Amino acid sequence: MKFPSTHKKLTASLVLLGVLTLTACGQGNQQATDTPANQTTTTTNTPAATPAANTTTTTAGVPPTGNDCPADAPIKGVDTTKRGKIYHNTTYPDYKQVKPTICFKDVASAEKAGYKLPQAK
């Protein structure tokens, strides 16, 4: 069976990509083999940054003071089971009744932490 030249180029490219991938995978173990015999190397596998179960403690927000937010962080973040992470700014109609889980200095900080504006009822 005769293949067009584009098929041959594609096959060659895939083979080269595979070789490069396998070569790169072997680079991670090189440090252990390059150490002198009188030194020991301890390798620890630390997982990549994974989100914590309670992400409110790992965000840029501050804890509320009682049922309100401090003056320098007026945006109220609330973790809900039904609507997820939402925030309320000072113009929200029921702002004073909202009990925050975390407080933010501005809307951008709240959104960066994964909070969003609540949907209209």
Side-chain angles (χ1 to χ4, degrees), residues 6-68:
T6 55
H7 185 269
K8 291 178 184 178
K9 289 178 185 177
L10 179 63
T11 303
S13 297
L14 289 174
V15 169
L16 180 60
L17 181 63
V19 169
L20 290 174
T21 303
L22 291 174
T23 304
C25 288
Q27 296 297 323
N29 295 333
Q30 189 169 357
Q31 180 184 5
T33 59
D34 290 346
T35 57
N38 62 353
Q39 289 183 346
T40 58
T41 302
T42 304
T43 305
T44 57
N45 290 333
T46 47
T50 55
N54 183 4
T55 55
T56 57
T57 59
T58 61
T59 61
V62 295
T65 54
N67 288 336
D68 210 2

Side-chain angles (χ1 to χ4, degrees), residues 14 18-20 28 34 45 78 86 91-92 98 106 117:
L14 289 174
V19 169
L20 290 174
D34 290 346
N45 290 333
V78 182
I86 57 174
T91 61
Y92 186 74
V98 174
D106 54 27
L117 203 58

Side-chain angles (χ1 to χ4, degrees), residues 11 17 24 29 38 40 61 76-77 80 87 89 93-94 96 105 113 115:
T11 303
L17 181 63
N29 295 333
N38 62 353
T40 58
K76 294 181 177 183
T80 66
Y87 69 85
N89 57 22
D94 295 329
K96 292 202 181 280
K105 65 178 182 167
Y115 289 78

